[in-house]
Amino acid sequence: MTIERLVNPHIRELQPYVPGKPIEEVERELGIAGSVKLASNENPLGPSPRALAALGNDLADIHRYPDGACFVLRARLAERLGVGQDQLVFGCGADEVLELLVKTFLAPGDEVVMPWPSFAMYPIVVRGMGGVPVRVPLDADLDHDLPAMADAVSERTKIVFVCNPNNPTGTSIGAAQMADFVARLSDDVVLVIDEAYFEFVRRSDFPDSLALLAERPATLVLRTFSKIYGLAGLRVGYGIGSAELIGFLERARHPFNVNRLAEAAAVAALDDDEHAERTRALNAAGIDFLTRELEALGCRVWPSDANFVLVETGEPGTADALLREGVIVRPMGGFGLPDHIRISIGMSEENEKLVKALQRIRQRAAIPEPRS
């Protein structure tokens, strides 16, 4: 007998998430130095200095269990968002809140409608509970095809995911589009609006998802401290919903799921508006720079409301070629976009390094091979 025969079929069929390699390993394998990582949508400024100070202050207490209810963070965040404290649930990253959601609402065979390509964890968490991902292709502009998503909802649909702004495309949905879509959804379907990147949005008509909670209780908004707050390594995510919906997610949540250092850093980061503004300004300048420079090289750069850009290079091997130049980006072949790469916005010198590397790659490709 093999262990495989004992594993639940829906787990056996899963393809695990494949993370990128750390810079140190890439440099060792390729024999290079001075690489830059523009692959994981991290904050190039790092965490808030206030968050770092809070970590230092709490180090001596790590022998104590964390506050399982995130009392201080819950109070601060509820006040900032204008919601009740009972409308918040916290997780070890927004990924864990997704796990709580499917654990609470999905039974084997239930369907979940989602855009595609979108966040890679959606189909993974759904299949992990024996659910059926229903992937609706993005439209020609790589936006959510919301009418097609509404059409895909069936009697077996329990959850609908909307990723706004969408990862990995960076495209976003406006308020009127969202309102039309919500009007078509049945009240007995849980609508999940993933807003991991909403702090970077520049469009003026971005939906007010929190206002939707009062009129549609079966709605959950996901956000995170990993992006603009620069705490990706500490893993703090949260969901905002009606008190009733959050109450059920709390039943599924393990105690002490957010560690005490992560909570302390999140509380401090939340109060550092200056750091968030610096991050937004750096990000906007980086998007404008990369868009201008990469389009000059003949690439197509999709409009982005996130902290990355999706780039159509026309060459499936661009990510590997950049890797050998010491620039790590995210290849998009696994999302059905083999001639695209996703580039996280970095510091100005990192963005410049990427552009120069791509220039060299393009120049080499333009030089004909010598005849033998």
Side-chain angles (χ1 to χ4, degrees):
M1 176 181 290
T2 64
I3 293 177
E4 183 178 357
R5 292 179 55 192
L6 304 176
V7 178
N8 286 330
H10 54 272
I11 298 295
R12 189 167 58 237
E13 295 166 4
L14 272 181
Q15 294 298 317
Y17 179 85
V18 180
K21 293 180 180 179
I23 289 179
E24 297 80 6
E25 179 62 17
V26 170
E27 292 184 337
R28 187 194 65 78
E29 287 183 2
L30 298 179
I32 58 178
S35 299
V36 298
K37 183 185 177 188
L38 301 175
S40 300
N41 306 339
E42 296 151 338
N43 188 330
L45 290 177
S48 157
R50 296 188 187 184
L52 291 176
L55 288 174
N57 292 337
D58 256 42
L59 279 175
D61 292 326
I62 59 173
H63 61 300
R64 304 293 184 190
Y65 282 106
D67 168 20
C70 289
F71 179 82
V72 176
L73 180 58
R74 182 181 300 275
R76 295 278 186 87
L77 193 56
E79 181 180 9
R80 172 168 287 230
L81 298 177
V83 300
Q85 294 188 26
D86 58 355
Q87 291 184 256
L88 294 169
V89 62
F90 295 92
C92 181
D95 294 13
E96 188 189 15
V97 182
L98 285 174
E99 293 275 6
L100 296 178
L101 179 84
V102 297
K103 182 179 177 181
T104 301
F105 289 101
L106 279 193
D110 287 341
E111 294 180 349
V112 179
V113 173
M114 62 189 68
W116 197 258
S118 193
F119 184 39
M121 288 305 298
Y122 296 158
I124 291 176
V125 297
V126 170
R127 289 193 181 279
M129 285 300 299
V132 180
V134 178
R135 307 186 199 199
V136 178
L138 303 179
D139 65 19
D141 295 320
L142 296 188
D143 287 324
H144 285 56
D145 189 340
L146 293 177
M149 288 180 63
D151 290 341
V153 174
S154 72
E155 293 181 355
R156 297 174 62 188
T157 303
K158 280 287 190 70
I159 300 171
V160 173
F161 285 128
V162 170
C163 190
N164 196 30
N166 189 44
N167 177 19
T169 62
T171 52
S172 62
I173 300 167
Q177 295 170 284
M178 182 69 82
D180 290 344
F181 176 66
V182 171
R184 291 190 59 187
L185 282 184
S186 168
D187 289 339
D188 58 5
V189 172
V190 178
L191 171 62
V192 180
I193 306 174
D194 186 346
E195 293 186 342
Y197 299 93
F198 92 104
E199 290 99 341
F200 298 101
V201 171
R202 293 193 282 178
R203 69 183 297 161
S204 59
D205 65 336
F206 194 73
D208 182 356
S209 58
L210 299 188
L212 181 62
L213 301 180
E215 59 186 79
R216 194 182 191 284
T219 302
L220 181 70
V221 179
L222 293 179
R223 293 181 182 173
T224 181
F225 282 88
S226 293
K227 306 305 178 185
I228 201 164
Y229 293 111
L231 301 181
L234 289 176
R235 315 301 298 127
V236 188
Y238 59 99
I240 317 155
S242 65
E244 182 181 14
L245 186 150
I246 295 297
F248 285 112
L249 297 185
E250 286 286 358
R251 297 185 192 190
R253 181 181 65 82
H254 290 186
F256 313 130
N257 60 328
V258 176
N259 73 71
R260 65 179 304 123
L261 294 182
E263 183 187 2
V267 170
L270 193 63
D271 290 336
D272 196 343
D273 293 329
E274 181 182 356
H275 185 265
E277 285 300 328
R278 286 181 60 214
T279 302
R280 264 188 287 270
L282 180 73
N283 188 72
I287 288 177
D288 293 344
F289 171 79
L290 287 179
T291 300
R292 180 177 65 252
E293 297 296 324
L294 295 179
E295 286 182 345
L297 290 176
C299 299
R300 179 174 184 176
V301 183
W302 298 88
S304 177
D305 267 323
N307 67 342
F308 57 85
V309 288
L310 181 71
V311 181
E312 183 179 3
T313 66
E315 296 291 337
T318 301
D320 286 339
L322 284 169
L323 193 62
R324 285 163 174 75
E325 295 282 341
V327 180
I328 306 170
V329 299
R330 184 71 183 268
M332 291 286 103
F335 292 88
L337 300 169
D339 57 350
H340 286 64
I341 55 175
R342 191 190 68 191
I343 305 170
S344 305
I345 305 303
M347 300 297 287
S348 59
E349 60 271 21
E350 295 174 323
N351 300 333
E352 290 168 5
K353 179 167 183 170
L354 177 138
V355 170
K356 291 176 181 176
L358 192 54
Q359 285 173 339
R360 290 192 295 271
I361 293 168
R362 289 290 172 105
Q363 288 167 357
R364 287 197 297 269
I367 299 173
E369 293 290 332
R371 295 182 179 179
S372 57

